[in-house]
Amino acid sequence: MINQYKDEDKVLLAVDCIIFGFDNEELKLLLIKRDFEPEKGKWSLMGGFLKKSEVLDEAASRVLQHLTGLNDVYMEQLYSFSKIDRDPVERTISVAYFALINIADHNSELSESHSAQWFGLEDMPELIFDHNAMVKHAIRRLRYRTATQPIGFELLPEKFTMRQLQKLYEAIFDHELDKRNFTKKINAMDLLVRLDEKDMTSSKKGSFLFKFDEQKYKKKVMDGFSFKV
Amino acid sequence: MINQYKDEDKVLLAVDCIIFGFDNEELKLLLIKRDFEPEKGKWSLMGGFLKKSEVLDEAASRVLQHLTGLNDVYMEQLYSFSKIDRDPVERTISVAYFALINIADHNSELSESHSAQWFGLEDMPELIFDHNAMVKHAIRRLRYRTATQPIGFELLPEKFTMRQLQKLYEAIFDHELDKRNFTKKINAMDLLVRLDEKDMTSSKKGSFLFKFDEQKYKKKVMDGFSFKV
DNA sequence: TCAAAAGTGTTTTACATACACCCATGA
DNA sequence: TCATGGGTGTATGTAAAACACTTTTGA
């Protein structure tokens, strides 16, 4: 078969990862300080190029794994960015992905070796290229996804307190929530299992730990779901 | 500056358009019968390759314009598909776009010259490559977008009756709606202007024509918006 | 005069919101 | 004993859903 596509333009395809974490207080992003040109020394999302042997999801996982050491992470393709001069070196289209990780899980030596650092959404530096726009987009998507599927749990450790979960939702929606109403709504979802175990670090009384029920969780994700603020 | 990207793989980037239309009864898709290999003679979405001089949105508009003659159409980037062998000729990543057009507006000679044809979602043929998956994805997005922004109007002529609008929403959500509740909800949106004009084709009594108020429409799109079924 | 679609309001139900006090404990 | 965060229920408002009859007019 002759190749009827041979006169078409080829381009570089990058993936860039918006990596969200949660430190029990605020939503954070893992950014790297570029140690190569162009824009050396500036802050940037972690990225890489698609190889011919990979699909996009694999490329994004590889990039994430490279920076955090983590596998099996919640990732979702976001949007493809294609401004002509977005990368000054060469025409590059970038497919943005966002990832939700548990900060405690990531390999911090690996991150440090990439001069990576967590930033709160409020005190983030300016990023290179169109990365600021990617982050904006990712926050919107995270809010929508959280309102639609219980993916918030991906950002928490396996066992967590109701207050941690609430703080997380508050951070994602940037909106204070009522403790009682929140508990009610979460319980109505019927996704959590309360353990016979308390976290004693946050108060003298201690607060119950929960984990979420993966079976029910998967079912809810399938059926759709709604959380409103 | 030396090109530090020179060892990276380059790929072909395609755009494929999911083109929705509405014929007052059902949602339809504009498909083309391929007249070139591979998969010649099979049904497919309209597509094309990204040129180095274009951004993705431009490529998608060009492809759409080529088939329908239409400019200034509602289009939205959907998702990028990257399975290794999705196109057997060469490694090609495709960025899917969806478009909403008014069937009456499109240039039907142009479409015919591409052997294009409208299909209801129910009686659609199997499509080549991963185009079926693209369509599925597009329907999901269209539902979400319609629930979130009043974009349904993009599929209607300038003047339309309340029943046409209802039929459209019913087609999008594949769900019958109550006439009274629908009218109430649409009126509450405060987007429509009732004209002193009736459409006499659908009944003896005739039914009022409406148009939507572009000013208010734009404002609502900005502010966000909610329509639930 | 009747068939066919248009138009129009009220009641019921579910869900979101607002709101305040007691509990357990370590210091 | 008291300061701190944890845990819980009820009343109110708002939006969705269910539901049926009258109007107009061309055939």
Short mmCIF file of all heavy atoms in Angstrom, two decimals, chain B residues 90-150:
data_model
loop_
_atom_site.label_atom_id
_atom_site.label_comp_id
_atom_site.label_asym_id
_atom_site.label_seq_id
_atom_site.Cartn_x
_atom_site.Cartn_y
_atom_site.Cartn_z
N GLU B 90 -0.48 4.93 9.07
CA GLU B 90 0.66 5.52 9.75
C GLU B 90 0.20 5.99 11.12
O GLU B 90 -0.97 6.27 11.33
CB GLU B 90 1.17 6.72 8.94
CG GLU B 90 2.46 7.27 9.52
CD GLU B 90 3.24 8.16 8.56
OE1 GLU B 90 2.94 8.13 7.33
OE2 GLU B 90 4.12 8.88 9.04
N ARG B 91 1.15 6.05 12.04
CA ARG B 91 0.82 6.50 13.38
C ARG B 91 0.22 7.90 13.32
O ARG B 91 0.87 8.85 12.91
CB ARG B 91 2.09 6.54 14.25
CG ARG B 91 1.84 6.96 15.70
CD ARG B 91 1.13 5.85 16.46
NE ARG B 91 0.40 6.28 17.63
CZ ARG B 91 0.92 6.56 18.82
NH1 ARG B 91 2.22 6.47 18.99
NH2 ARG B 91 0.16 6.91 19.83
N THR B 92 -1.04 7.98 13.71
CA THR B 92 -1.77 9.24 13.64
C THR B 92 -2.54 9.43 14.93
O THR B 92 -3.25 8.54 15.37
CB THR B 92 -2.78 9.21 12.48
OG1 THR B 92 -2.08 8.90 11.26
CG2 THR B 92 -3.48 10.54 12.33
N ILE B 93 -2.35 10.57 15.51
CA ILE B 93 -3.16 10.92 16.67
C ILE B 93 -4.27 11.83 16.17
O ILE B 93 -4.03 12.72 15.35
CB ILE B 93 -2.31 11.65 17.74
CG1 ILE B 93 -1.49 10.64 18.54
CG2 ILE B 93 -3.19 12.41 18.71
CD1 ILE B 93 -0.31 10.09 17.86
N SER B 94 -5.49 11.58 16.64
CA SER B 94 -6.58 12.40 16.15
C SER B 94 -7.23 13.19 17.27
O SER B 94 -7.56 12.65 18.32
CB SER B 94 -7.63 11.54 15.46
OG SER B 94 -8.74 12.36 15.16
N VAL B 95 -7.40 14.46 17.02
CA VAL B 95 -8.12 15.32 17.96
C VAL B 95 -9.54 15.46 17.45
O VAL B 95 -9.77 15.96 16.36
CB VAL B 95 -7.45 16.70 18.07
CG1 VAL B 95 -8.14 17.53 19.14
CG2 VAL B 95 -5.96 16.55 18.38
N ALA B 96 -10.48 14.98 18.26
CA ALA B 96 -11.89 15.03 17.85
C ALA B 96 -12.50 16.37 18.25
O ALA B 96 -12.22 16.89 19.33
CB ALA B 96 -12.66 13.89 18.48
N TYR B 97 -13.31 16.91 17.36
CA TYR B 97 -14.07 18.13 17.62
C TYR B 97 -15.54 17.84 17.41
O TYR B 97 -15.89 17.01 16.56
CB TYR B 97 -13.66 19.24 16.64
CG TYR B 97 -12.48 20.04 17.10
CD1 TYR B 97 -11.20 19.51 17.02
CD2 TYR B 97 -12.63 21.29 17.67
CE1 TYR B 97 -10.10 20.23 17.46
CE2 TYR B 97 -11.54 22.03 18.12
CZ TYR B 97 -10.28 21.49 18.01
OH TYR B 97 -9.20 22.20 18.46
N PHE B 98 -16.39 18.51 18.14
CA PHE B 98 -17.78 18.39 17.74
C PHE B 98 -18.34 19.75 17.35
O PHE B 98 -17.93 20.78 17.86
CB PHE B 98 -18.64 17.64 18.75
CG PHE B 98 -19.15 18.43 19.91
CD1 PHE B 98 -20.39 19.07 19.82
CD2 PHE B 98 -18.46 18.50 21.08
CE1 PHE B 98 -20.90 19.78 20.89
CE2 PHE B 98 -18.96 19.21 22.16
CZ PHE B 98 -20.17 19.85 22.07
N ALA B 99 -19.26 19.70 16.39
CA ALA B 99 -19.85 20.92 15.84
C ALA B 99 -21.36 20.80 15.90
O ALA B 99 -21.92 19.71 15.79
CB ALA B 99 -19.40 21.08 14.39
N LEU B 100 -22.01 21.93 16.11
CA LEU B 100 -23.48 21.97 16.10
C LEU B 100 -23.90 22.85 14.96
O LEU B 100 -23.53 24.03 14.91
CB LEU B 100 -24.00 22.56 17.42
CG LEU B 100 -23.53 21.87 18.70
CD1 LEU B 100 -24.14 22.56 19.91
CD2 LEU B 100 -23.92 20.40 18.68
N ILE B 101 -24.64 22.31 14.03
CA ILE B 101 -25.09 23.15 12.92
C ILE B 101 -26.58 23.00 12.69
O ILE B 101 -27.21 22.05 13.16
CB ILE B 101 -24.32 22.84 11.60
CG1 ILE B 101 -24.78 21.54 10.98
CG2 ILE B 101 -22.82 22.81 11.84
CD1 ILE B 101 -24.14 21.28 9.64
N ASN B 102 -27.10 23.96 12.01
CA ASN B 102 -28.49 23.95 11.63
C ASN B 102 -28.56 23.27 10.26
O ASN B 102 -27.99 23.76 9.29
CB ASN B 102 -28.94 25.40 11.56
CG ASN B 102 -30.37 25.55 11.11
OD1 ASN B 102 -30.99 24.55 10.70
ND2 ASN B 102 -30.89 26.74 11.18
N ILE B 103 -29.24 22.14 10.21
CA ILE B 103 -29.22 21.32 8.99
C ILE B 103 -29.59 22.14 7.76
O ILE B 103 -28.97 22.03 6.70
CB ILE B 103 -30.16 20.10 9.12
CG1 ILE B 103 -29.62 19.13 10.16
CG2 ILE B 103 -30.33 19.40 7.79
CD1 ILE B 103 -30.37 17.83 10.28
N ALA B 104 -30.58 23.01 7.93
CA ALA B 104 -31.05 23.79 6.78
C ALA B 104 -29.96 24.71 6.21
O ALA B 104 -29.97 25.03 5.03
CB ALA B 104 -32.26 24.61 7.18
N ASP B 105 -29.03 25.11 7.05
CA ASP B 105 -28.00 26.07 6.63
C ASP B 105 -26.91 25.49 5.76
O ASP B 105 -26.24 26.21 5.03
CB ASP B 105 -27.30 26.68 7.86
CG ASP B 105 -28.15 27.71 8.56
OD1 ASP B 105 -29.21 28.06 8.02
OD2 ASP B 105 -27.75 28.15 9.65
N HIS B 106 -26.67 24.21 5.90
CA HIS B 106 -25.46 23.70 5.27
C HIS B 106 -25.64 23.55 3.77
O HIS B 106 -26.74 23.38 3.25
CB HIS B 106 -25.01 22.40 5.93
CG HIS B 106 -25.62 21.16 5.36
ND1 HIS B 106 -26.95 20.91 5.40
CD2 HIS B 106 -25.07 20.11 4.72
CE1 HIS B 106 -27.21 19.76 4.82
NE2 HIS B 106 -26.08 19.26 4.39
N ASN B 107 -24.53 23.61 3.09
CA ASN B 107 -24.52 23.53 1.64
C ASN B 107 -24.63 22.07 1.21
O ASN B 107 -23.67 21.31 1.31
CB ASN B 107 -23.20 24.15 1.16
CG ASN B 107 -23.07 24.14 -0.33
OD1 ASN B 107 -23.54 23.21 -0.99
ND2 ASN B 107 -22.44 25.15 -0.87
N SER B 108 -25.81 21.70 0.73
CA SER B 108 -26.01 20.27 0.52
C SER B 108 -25.31 19.75 -0.73
O SER B 108 -24.96 18.58 -0.80
CB SER B 108 -27.51 19.93 0.49
OG SER B 108 -28.21 20.90 -0.21
N GLU B 109 -25.04 20.66 -1.70
CA GLU B 109 -24.26 20.18 -2.86
C GLU B 109 -22.86 19.78 -2.41
O GLU B 109 -22.33 18.74 -2.80
CB GLU B 109 -24.14 21.25 -3.95
CG GLU B 109 -25.46 21.61 -4.62
CD GLU B 109 -26.15 22.76 -3.91
OE1 GLU B 109 -25.55 23.83 -3.79
OE2 GLU B 109 -27.30 22.57 -3.43
N LEU B 110 -22.27 20.66 -1.60
CA LEU B 110 -20.94 20.36 -1.09
C LEU B 110 -20.93 19.00 -0.39
O LEU B 110 -20.06 18.16 -0.64
CB LEU B 110 -20.52 21.43 -0.08
CG LEU B 110 -19.48 22.44 -0.51
CD1 LEU B 110 -19.18 23.40 0.64
CD2 LEU B 110 -18.21 21.74 -0.97
N SER B 111 -21.91 18.81 0.48
CA SER B 111 -21.98 17.56 1.21
C SER B 111 -22.13 16.37 0.26
O SER B 111 -21.46 15.35 0.42
CB SER B 111 -23.14 17.58 2.19
OG SER B 111 -22.87 18.46 3.24
N GLU B 112 -23.01 16.55 -0.72
CA GLU B 112 -23.21 15.45 -1.65
C GLU B 112 -21.93 15.10 -2.40
O GLU B 112 -21.63 13.93 -2.63
CB GLU B 112 -24.31 15.79 -2.66
CG GLU B 112 -25.67 15.28 -2.21
CD GLU B 112 -26.81 15.98 -2.94
OE1 GLU B 112 -26.72 16.13 -4.16
OE2 GLU B 112 -27.77 16.39 -2.24
N SER B 113 -21.17 16.13 -2.73
CA SER B 113 -19.94 15.86 -3.47
C SER B 113 -18.94 15.07 -2.62
O SER B 113 -18.02 14.48 -3.13
CB SER B 113 -19.31 17.16 -3.96
OG SER B 113 -18.71 17.84 -2.89
N HIS B 114 -19.14 15.08 -1.31
CA HIS B 114 -18.32 14.22 -0.43
C HIS B 114 -19.06 12.93 -0.09
O HIS B 114 -18.64 12.22 0.82
CB HIS B 114 -17.98 14.93 0.87
CG HIS B 114 -16.91 15.98 0.73
ND1 HIS B 114 -17.18 17.27 0.40
CD2 HIS B 114 -15.57 15.90 0.89
CE1 HIS B 114 -16.05 17.97 0.36
NE2 HIS B 114 -15.06 17.16 0.65
N SER B 115 -20.13 12.65 -0.79
CA SER B 115 -20.99 11.52 -0.44
C SER B 115 -21.32 11.53 1.05
O SER B 115 -21.21 10.52 1.72
CB SER B 115 -20.34 10.17 -0.77
OG SER B 115 -19.63 10.22 -1.95
N ALA B 116 -21.70 12.70 1.51
CA ALA B 116 -22.06 12.80 2.92
C ALA B 116 -23.55 12.60 3.09
O ALA B 116 -24.33 12.82 2.17
CB ALA B 116 -21.66 14.16 3.47
N GLN B 117 -23.93 12.17 4.28
CA GLN B 117 -25.34 11.88 4.53
C GLN B 117 -25.62 12.03 6.01
O GLN B 117 -24.78 11.75 6.86
CB GLN B 117 -25.60 10.45 4.09
CG GLN B 117 -27.04 10.13 3.77
CD GLN B 117 -27.17 8.71 3.25
OE1 GLN B 117 -26.53 8.33 2.27
NE2 GLN B 117 -27.98 7.92 3.92
N TRP B 118 -26.83 12.48 6.32
CA TRP B 118 -27.25 12.59 7.72
C TRP B 118 -27.79 11.26 8.21
O TRP B 118 -28.59 10.62 7.53
CB TRP B 118 -28.33 13.66 7.88
CG TRP B 118 -27.82 15.06 7.69
CD1 TRP B 118 -27.91 15.81 6.56
CD2 TRP B 118 -27.15 15.85 8.66
NE1 TRP B 118 -27.33 17.03 6.77
CE2 TRP B 118 -26.85 17.09 8.06
CE3 TRP B 118 -26.76 15.66 9.99
CZ2 TRP B 118 -26.18 18.11 8.71
CZ3 TRP B 118 -26.10 16.67 10.65
CH2 TRP B 118 -25.82 17.89 10.02
N PHE B 119 -27.42 10.89 9.42
CA PHE B 119 -27.93 9.66 10.04
C PHE B 119 -28.46 9.98 11.42
O PHE B 119 -27.82 10.72 12.18
CB PHE B 119 -26.80 8.64 10.20
CG PHE B 119 -26.37 8.01 8.91
CD1 PHE B 119 -25.33 8.57 8.17
CD2 PHE B 119 -26.99 6.86 8.44
CE1 PHE B 119 -24.93 7.99 6.97
CE2 PHE B 119 -26.59 6.28 7.25
CZ PHE B 119 -25.55 6.85 6.50
N GLY B 120 -29.60 9.40 11.74
CA GLY B 120 -30.07 9.46 13.11
C GLY B 120 -29.15 8.64 13.99
O GLY B 120 -28.52 7.68 13.52
N LEU B 121 -29.07 8.99 15.27
CA LEU B 121 -28.13 8.29 16.15
C LEU B 121 -28.48 6.80 16.25
O LEU B 121 -27.60 5.97 16.51
CB LEU B 121 -28.15 8.92 17.54
CG LEU B 121 -27.67 10.38 17.60
CD1 LEU B 121 -27.67 10.87 19.04
CD2 LEU B 121 -26.29 10.53 16.98
N GLU B 122 -29.74 6.48 16.05
CA GLU B 122 -30.16 5.09 16.18
C GLU B 122 -29.76 4.25 14.98
O GLU B 122 -29.38 3.09 15.12
CB GLU B 122 -31.68 5.01 16.33
CG GLU B 122 -32.26 5.82 17.48
CD GLU B 122 -31.63 5.44 18.82
OE1 GLU B 122 -31.38 4.24 19.02
OE2 GLU B 122 -31.37 6.35 19.64
N ASP B 123 -29.87 4.84 13.80
CA ASP B 123 -29.64 4.03 12.60
C ASP B 123 -28.36 4.42 11.87
O ASP B 123 -28.31 4.52 10.65
CB ASP B 123 -30.84 4.10 11.67
CG ASP B 123 -31.49 5.48 11.69
OD1 ASP B 123 -30.76 6.46 11.46
OD2 ASP B 123 -32.69 5.54 11.97
N MET B 124 -27.35 4.65 12.70
CA MET B 124 -26.03 5.00 12.17
C MET B 124 -25.29 3.73 11.76
O MET B 124 -25.38 2.71 12.45
CB MET B 124 -25.25 5.61 13.32
CG MET B 124 -24.75 6.99 13.08
SD MET B 124 -23.96 7.56 14.58
CE MET B 124 -22.55 6.48 14.67
N PRO B 125 -24.54 3.80 10.68
CA PRO B 125 -23.73 2.63 10.33
C PRO B 125 -22.50 2.54 11.25
O PRO B 125 -22.19 3.48 11.96
CB PRO B 125 -23.29 2.95 8.90
CG PRO B 125 -23.25 4.44 8.83
CD PRO B 125 -24.37 4.91 9.74
N GLU B 126 -21.85 1.41 11.22
CA GLU B 126 -20.55 1.29 11.87
C GLU B 126 -19.55 2.22 11.20
O GLU B 126 -19.56 2.36 9.98
CB GLU B 126 -20.01 -0.15 11.71
CG GLU B 126 -20.60 -1.15 12.67
CD GLU B 126 -20.25 -0.83 14.11
OE1 GLU B 126 -19.05 -0.81 14.43
OE2 GLU B 126 -21.18 -0.59 14.91
N LEU B 127 -18.73 2.84 11.99
CA LEU B 127 -17.75 3.76 11.42
C LEU B 127 -16.35 3.15 11.46
O LEU B 127 -16.08 2.21 12.20
CB LEU B 127 -17.76 5.08 12.20
CG LEU B 127 -19.12 5.76 12.32
CD1 LEU B 127 -18.99 7.06 13.10
CD2 LEU B 127 -19.71 6.03 10.96
N ILE B 128 -15.47 3.73 10.67
CA ILE B 128 -14.09 3.23 10.60
C ILE B 128 -13.31 3.61 11.86
O ILE B 128 -13.74 4.43 12.65
CB ILE B 128 -13.34 3.85 9.40
CG1 ILE B 128 -13.26 5.38 9.55
CG2 ILE B 128 -14.04 3.49 8.10
CD1 ILE B 128 -12.22 6.00 8.64
N PHE B 129 -12.16 2.97 11.99
CA PHE B 129 -11.20 3.30 13.05
C PHE B 129 -11.90 3.37 14.42
O PHE B 129 -12.71 2.52 14.74
CB PHE B 129 -10.48 4.63 12.77
CG PHE B 129 -9.76 4.71 11.45
CD1 PHE B 129 -9.20 5.91 11.02
CD2 PHE B 129 -9.60 3.60 10.63
CE1 PHE B 129 -8.51 6.00 9.82
CE2 PHE B 129 -8.90 3.68 9.42
CZ PHE B 129 -8.37 4.89 9.02
N ASP B 130 -11.56 4.42 15.15
CA ASP B 130 -12.17 4.61 16.48
C ASP B 130 -13.27 5.66 16.44
O ASP B 130 -13.61 6.24 17.47
CB ASP B 130 -11.08 4.99 17.49
CG ASP B 130 -10.16 6.09 16.96
OD1 ASP B 130 -10.43 6.62 15.86
OD2 ASP B 130 -9.18 6.40 17.63
N HIS B 131 -13.84 5.86 15.26
CA HIS B 131 -14.83 6.93 15.14
C HIS B 131 -16.10 6.68 15.95
O HIS B 131 -16.75 7.62 16.39
CB HIS B 131 -15.17 7.19 13.67
CG HIS B 131 -14.05 7.83 12.91
ND1 HIS B 131 -14.19 8.36 11.66
CD2 HIS B 131 -12.74 8.05 13.25
CE1 HIS B 131 -13.03 8.86 11.25
NE2 HIS B 131 -12.13 8.68 12.20
N ASN B 132 -16.46 5.40 16.14
CA ASN B 132 -17.62 5.13 16.99
C ASN B 132 -17.40 5.63 18.41
O ASN B 132 -18.30 6.21 19.02
CB ASN B 132 -17.92 3.62 17.02
CG ASN B 132 -18.44 3.12 15.69
OD1 ASN B 132 -19.46 3.58 15.21
ND2 ASN B 132 -17.72 2.18 15.09
N ALA B 133 -16.20 5.41 18.91
CA ALA B 133 -15.88 5.88 20.26
C ALA B 133 -15.93 7.40 20.33
O ALA B 133 -16.39 7.98 21.32
CB ALA B 133 -14.50 5.38 20.69
N MET B 134 -15.47 8.04 19.27
CA MET B 134 -15.51 9.51 19.24
C MET B 134 -16.95 10.01 19.33
O MET B 134 -17.24 10.96 20.05
CB MET B 134 -14.88 10.03 17.94
CG MET B 134 -13.38 9.79 17.85
SD MET B 134 -12.74 10.43 16.29
CE MET B 134 -10.99 10.06 16.48
N VAL B 135 -17.84 9.35 18.61
CA VAL B 135 -19.23 9.77 18.60
C VAL B 135 -19.85 9.61 20.00
O VAL B 135 -20.52 10.51 20.50
CB VAL B 135 -20.05 8.96 17.56
CG1 VAL B 135 -21.53 9.20 17.73
CG2 VAL B 135 -19.59 9.33 16.15
N LYS B 136 -19.56 8.47 20.62
CA LYS B 136 -20.07 8.24 21.98
C LYS B 136 -19.64 9.36 22.91
O LYS B 136 -20.43 9.90 23.68
CB LYS B 136 -19.49 6.92 22.51
CG LYS B 136 -20.44 5.77 22.50
CD LYS B 136 -19.88 4.67 23.38
CE LYS B 136 -20.81 3.50 23.53
NZ LYS B 136 -20.06 2.27 23.90
N HIS B 137 -18.37 9.66 22.83
CA HIS B 137 -17.80 10.71 23.64
C HIS B 137 -18.49 12.05 23.36
O HIS B 137 -18.77 12.83 24.28
CB HIS B 137 -16.31 10.81 23.28
CG HIS B 137 -15.43 11.24 24.38
ND1 HIS B 137 -14.61 10.39 25.07
CD2 HIS B 137 -15.23 12.46 24.92
CE1 HIS B 137 -13.95 11.07 25.98
NE2 HIS B 137 -14.30 12.32 25.91
N ALA B 138 -18.75 12.30 22.09
CA ALA B 138 -19.35 13.58 21.70
C ALA B 138 -20.76 13.71 22.25
O ALA B 138 -21.17 14.79 22.68
CB ALA B 138 -19.36 13.72 20.19
N ILE B 139 -21.50 12.61 22.26
CA ILE B 139 -22.86 12.67 22.78
C ILE B 139 -22.84 12.99 24.27
O ILE B 139 -23.60 13.83 24.74
CB ILE B 139 -23.60 11.34 22.50
CG1 ILE B 139 -23.78 11.17 20.98
CG2 ILE B 139 -24.96 11.32 23.19
CD1 ILE B 139 -24.27 9.81 20.57
N ARG B 140 -21.94 12.34 24.98
CA ARG B 140 -21.80 12.65 26.42
C ARG B 140 -21.51 14.13 26.62
O ARG B 140 -22.11 14.79 27.46
CB ARG B 140 -20.65 11.84 27.03
CG ARG B 140 -21.02 10.49 27.55
CD ARG B 140 -20.13 10.07 28.72
NE ARG B 140 -18.70 10.14 28.43
CZ ARG B 140 -18.02 9.18 27.80
NH1 ARG B 140 -18.63 8.09 27.41
NH2 ARG B 140 -16.73 9.32 27.59
N ARG B 141 -20.56 14.63 25.85
CA ARG B 141 -20.18 16.03 26.02
C ARG B 141 -21.33 16.96 25.65
O ARG B 141 -21.57 17.97 26.32
CB ARG B 141 -18.96 16.34 25.17
CG ARG B 141 -18.50 17.81 25.23
CD ARG B 141 -17.79 18.17 26.52
NE ARG B 141 -16.52 17.49 26.66
CZ ARG B 141 -15.35 17.97 26.22
NH1 ARG B 141 -15.30 19.16 25.67
NH2 ARG B 141 -14.24 17.27 26.36
N LEU B 142 -22.04 16.62 24.59
CA LEU B 142 -23.16 17.46 24.18
C LEU B 142 -24.21 17.53 25.28
O LEU B 142 -24.76 18.60 25.57
CB LEU B 142 -23.79 16.92 22.89
CG LEU B 142 -25.05 17.62 22.41
CD1 LEU B 142 -24.80 19.10 22.13
CD2 LEU B 142 -25.61 16.94 21.16
N ARG B 143 -24.45 16.40 25.94
CA ARG B 143 -25.42 16.40 27.05
C ARG B 143 -24.94 17.27 28.18
O ARG B 143 -25.69 18.08 28.73
CB ARG B 143 -25.65 14.97 27.55
CG ARG B 143 -26.52 14.21 26.61
CD ARG B 143 -26.85 12.82 27.10
NE ARG B 143 -27.60 12.17 26.03
CZ ARG B 143 -27.64 10.87 25.80
NH1 ARG B 143 -26.97 10.04 26.58
NH2 ARG B 143 -28.34 10.39 24.80
N TYR B 144 -23.70 17.10 28.53
CA TYR B 144 -23.15 17.91 29.62
C TYR B 144 -23.23 19.38 29.25
O TYR B 144 -23.65 20.22 30.04
CB TYR B 144 -21.71 17.50 29.92
CG TYR B 144 -20.97 18.51 30.74
CD1 TYR B 144 -21.42 18.84 32.01
CD2 TYR B 144 -19.85 19.16 30.25
CE1 TYR B 144 -20.77 19.79 32.77
CE2 TYR B 144 -19.18 20.11 30.99
CZ TYR B 144 -19.65 20.43 32.26
OH TYR B 144 -19.00 21.37 33.00
N ARG B 145 -22.81 19.70 28.04
CA ARG B 145 -22.76 21.10 27.64
C ARG B 145 -24.16 21.70 27.63
O ARG B 145 -24.37 22.83 28.07
CB ARG B 145 -22.10 21.20 26.26
CG ARG B 145 -21.65 22.57 25.86
CD ARG B 145 -20.66 23.18 26.80
NE ARG B 145 -19.33 22.63 26.68
CZ ARG B 145 -18.46 22.58 27.69
NH1 ARG B 145 -18.79 23.04 28.89
NH2 ARG B 145 -17.28 22.06 27.51
N THR B 146 -25.12 20.94 27.16
CA THR B 146 -26.49 21.44 27.11
C THR B 146 -27.05 21.66 28.51
O THR B 146 -27.85 22.57 28.73
CB THR B 146 -27.39 20.45 26.35
OG1 THR B 146 -26.80 20.17 25.08
CG2 THR B 146 -28.76 21.03 26.11
N ALA B 147 -26.63 20.84 29.44
CA ALA B 147 -27.10 20.98 30.82
C ALA B 147 -26.46 22.17 31.50
O ALA B 147 -26.88 22.60 32.56
CB ALA B 147 -26.80 19.71 31.61
N THR B 148 -25.47 22.71 30.89
CA THR B 148 -24.56 23.65 31.53
C THR B 148 -24.57 25.00 30.83
O THR B 148 -24.29 26.03 31.42
CB THR B 148 -23.14 23.00 31.45
OG1 THR B 148 -22.93 22.26 32.61
CG2 THR B 148 -22.07 23.99 31.20
N GLN B 149 -24.86 24.98 29.54
CA GLN B 149 -24.91 26.20 28.75
C GLN B 149 -26.03 26.06 27.74
O GLN B 149 -26.30 24.96 27.28
CB GLN B 149 -23.59 26.40 27.99
CG GLN B 149 -22.43 26.85 28.83
CD GLN B 149 -21.14 26.87 28.02
OE1 GLN B 149 -21.17 27.03 26.81
NE2 GLN B 149 -20.03 26.69 28.70
N PRO B 150 -26.66 27.16 27.39
CA PRO B 150 -27.78 27.06 26.45
C PRO B 150 -27.33 26.92 25.00
O PRO B 150 -27.78 27.64 24.13
CB PRO B 150 -28.53 28.37 26.68
CG PRO B 150 -27.50 29.32 27.17
CD PRO B 150 -26.46 28.51 27.88
#
